[in-house]
Amino acid sequence: MDIVPSEVYMYEQLKIQRMLGLWPPEENTALWKRVIYKLVFYFMLGIKITTLTAVLYHMYLEWGHLPDPFDNIIILASHYNTIFGMIYIPTMIDKFELLIKSVDNIFIVPTHFPEEYKIILKETMRSSKFITMIFMGPACLTGFSYAAKPLLTSSNGTESMSLPYQASFPFDVSESPGYWVAHLLLSVSMMTICLNGTVNCDFFVSLIMKTTSQFRFLQLMILNVKEDALKRKKQKEQEKIKRISTTDEISDMLQSLEDADDKEQVKIEDREDNIDSELIQILSEFVKKHQELLQFTEDLESLASPFMLFQISVYVVFLCLNVFAMSMVAVGSIEFINTMLFVVTVISLLLMPAWYGNEIRVQSAELAKAASICDWIDAPHSFKTSLRLIIQRAQKPVQLTALKFCAVDLNMFTMVLKATYSYYQVLHKIFNE
């Protein structure tokens, strides 16, 4: 059975996307599962719209004397951010499906490759699972902390309990059962916000990681190009021998080679020429693979960059306001821990795309180094020409951007942290005045 690269590299991410109704189910999926996936999607979208309306209604009623306007801004931004994330992939699903199908045509699954290739594959898949846990862990804790905060800070029943966050409803929430209905609604909404906020980011980061591994595979293939040419030449010679039907033909061939030294010399020269031809053929395949990877990263960047720009803009607001909120409460308090979990979640959602966006840039540029140190000295002229093409293109490394406004790399992450601190200083000074 043929191995499908997208099922190897993106199985976990696509499985989560399908379970949340963000990705079309597989063709052989049972009808009841399809219905459940759709219900999950519309339930999560509906509850976000409901609580968003409750928050906006609360701001309308309390406008001018909001008790915590910063918290309102954070909650509003969280709703808009995750609603955008929920509808972004489904509205562009045709392009995303084409992108995943191109994974099957371009990506390498090194099942029959040397051990060094398999090590890269294992490292990539292990890192991908780890990143998923980094995303999901703090996100789930943040959602639970919002639900638990009113219960842990109350001392006099529902009369003194606050809601997970500020919102107004067309029923009395000061006593049971109205309070518990509102609490459940807001808690479930926050859990879905935290979940959806991480799922799409995990999807894009995973794609970036797996694309980076393909550049690493290509580096190894270029470094081992001569060994691959010799192996391919040997394999063709073995296949040629297998095609000889009778031992008489083998004897005739051997006798003809022994009869004349000049024929033997010609044969050796032909073999060297054949190795050169194998080198040229293999490197042309590598050049094609390089071009395909570059085109894939361009397609990935065009789909991911609007999402990245929206996420980065919202996360700057999150970090700034939450860091400011942390400075206004007692260290170790429930509010401090709740806000700190939110900050950790946002930092992880910013750091991982930046880290692996930086990694894909570095690994794509490393192709030039691999091409320059491979065994090219005795190679034919056309081989060297193709090698120069790879080096020239690799000197312009792959760069993922947030809709061309900024590069998604570690420099971006550093700038976001600096901007967060600057905005925090401004807010702190205004508040003190």
Side-chain angles (χ1 to χ4, degrees):
M1 184 176 180
D2 294 336
I3 296 176
V4 181
S6 61
E7 294 180 359
V8 175
Y9 288 109
M10 298 300 296
Y11 174 78
E12 294 294 336
Q13 285 71 29
L14 292 178
K15 181 180 178 181
I16 296 173
Q17 293 274 331
R18 291 187 179 108
M19 290 174 62
L20 298 180
L22 301 172
W23 196 272
E26 297 176 293
E27 294 181 0
N28 58 352
T29 303
L31 179 61
W32 66 271
K33 286 187 177 181
R34 294 172 179 266
V35 173
I36 289 177
Y37 295 159
K38 282 296 181 183
L39 289 176
V40 169
F41 174 81
Y42 287 113
F43 169 76
M44 297 177 76
L45 183 60
I47 198 171
K48 289 183 183 66
I49 293 175
T50 301
T51 54
L52 174 61
T53 304
V55 172
L56 291 172
Y57 183 53
H58 173 78
M59 294 180 67
Y60 171 76
L61 294 177
E62 303 292 331
W63 189 257
H65 46 85
L66 288 169
D68 191 353
F70 291 152
D71 184 63
N72 291 120
I73 295 173
I74 293 170
I75 295 300
L76 276 179
S78 300
H79 279 79
Y80 286 125
N81 179 49
T82 52
I83 290 173
F84 171 78
M86 281 192 70
I87 64 177
Y88 182 70
I89 289 181
T91 54
M92 303 182 67
I93 193 61
D94 292 339
K95 293 182 179 180
F96 278 102
E97 285 187 311
L98 287 175
L99 186 70
I100 295 300
K101 286 180 181 178
S102 63
V103 169
D104 297 332
N105 299 324
I106 298 171
F107 281 28
I108 299 169
V109 181
T111 53
H112 303 293
F113 282 62
E115 187 63 25
E116 52 191 349
Y117 292 84
K118 297 178 182 178
I119 291 175
I120 293 176
L121 176 62
K122 290 178 182 177
E123 289 177 353
T124 301
M125 301 307 294
R126 186 165 54 246
S127 298
S128 179
K129 291 182 180 179
F130 179 68
I131 295 304
T132 301
M133 289 190 292
I134 287 179
F135 283 150
M136 296 298 181
C140 292
L141 287 175
T142 301
F144 281 121
S145 69
Y146 268 89
K149 182 176 69 171
L151 308 179
L152 296 174
T153 56
S154 67
S155 59
N156 197 19
T158 57
E159 294 181 1
S160 64
M161 281 187 182
S162 61
L163 292 171
Y165 49 88
Q166 300 172 40
S168 296
F169 295 90
F171 52 84
D172 186 12
V173 297
S174 62
E175 58 184 21
S176 298
Y179 172 82
W180 294 111
V181 172
H183 182 278
L184 178 64
L185 188 64
L186 295 176
S187 298
V188 173
S189 177
M190 179 54 67
M191 283 298 300
T192 64
I193 285 172
C194 294
L195 181 62
N196 286 122
T198 58
V199 165
N200 285 346
C201 193
D202 181 53
F203 176 81
F204 285 115
V205 170
S206 181
L207 262 179
I208 295 170
M209 292 174 64
K210 309 308 170 43
T211 308
T212 303
S213 70
Q214 300 303 306
F215 281 104
R216 294 179 67 187
F217 290 150
L218 190 55
Q219 291 173 33
L220 288 177
M221 289 188 288
I222 291 175
L223 287 172
N224 301 324
V225 62
K226 194 163 188 179
E227 290 80 355
D228 291 341
L230 290 170
K231 288 179 182 178
R232 187 177 294 189
K233 178 64 173 62
K234 183 178 180 180
Q235 183 180 2
K236 287 184 177 180
E237 288 176 347
Q238 290 175 346
E239 291 175 354
K240 184 176 180 181
I241 292 175
K242 289 179 181 178
R243 287 196 299 267
I244 299 176
S245 58
T246 64
T247 57
D248 291 340
E249 291 176 338
I250 296 176
S251 299
D252 293 342
M253 184 182 67
L254 293 175
Q255 184 63 40
S256 64
L257 291 175
E258 292 174 356
D259 286 343
D261 292 337
D262 56 340
K263 290 183 179 181
E264 184 177 359
Q265 183 64 31
V266 169
K267 209 66 180 179
I268 293 173
E269 292 175 356
D270 289 342
R271 185 175 182 274
E272 292 177 352
D273 291 339
N274 288 336
I275 293 176
D276 289 345
S277 65
E278 293 294 342
L279 280 172
I280 295 170
Q281 182 181 352
I282 291 175
L283 191 62
S284 65
E285 294 172 3
F286 293 169
V287 171
K288 181 181 178 182
K289 177 67 66 177
H290 188 207
Q291 296 298 324
E292 289 174 344
L293 281 176
L294 293 174
Q295 183 60 52
F296 179 85
T297 53
E298 287 182 9
D299 296 338
L300 174 59
E301 198 266 347
S302 66
L303 290 174
S305 59
F307 178 82
M308 291 296 181
L309 177 62
F310 194 88
Q311 297 290 296
I312 292 170
S313 304
V314 172
Y315 292 159
V316 169
V317 176
F318 283 169
L319 284 177
C320 177
L321 296 182
N322 277 285
V323 170
F324 179 74
M326 287 176 65
S327 68
M328 304 302 295
V329 298
V331 177
S333 64
I334 298 298
E335 292 82 2
F336 182 88
I337 294 173
N338 181 69
T339 308
M340 184 178 66
L341 285 172
F342 201 109
V343 170
V344 170
T345 301
V346 172
I347 288 178
S348 68
L349 292 173
L350 266 175
L351 176 60
M352 293 302 106
W355 183 280
Y356 288 102
N358 191 80
E359 188 68 12
I360 194 173
R361 179 177 63 83
V362 171
Q363 295 300 331
S364 64
E366 283 290 308
L367 282 173
K369 181 179 178 181
S372 64
I373 65 175
C374 74
D375 192 0
W376 56 266
I377 295 177
D378 298 327
H381 177 73
S382 56
F383 177 91
K384 297 176 183 178
T385 301
S386 299
L387 210 58
R388 282 198 297 270
L389 293 176
I390 294 178
I391 294 173
Q392 289 173 354
R393 181 56 186 87
Q395 288 175 346
K396 183 185 178 184
V398 171
Q399 185 72 76
L400 300 179
T401 68
L403 211 60
K404 307 301 181 183
F405 280 91
C406 65
V408 181
D409 54 17
L410 291 177
N411 289 330
M412 178 274 296
F413 180 72
T414 304
M415 287 190 296
V416 168
L417 293 183
K418 289 180 179 179
T420 299
Y421 182 73
S422 299
Y423 296 148
Y424 160 75
Q425 291 284 71
V426 172
L427 286 175
H428 196 271
K429 184 176 180 180
I430 293 174
F431 185 83
N432 288 337
E433 291 177 354

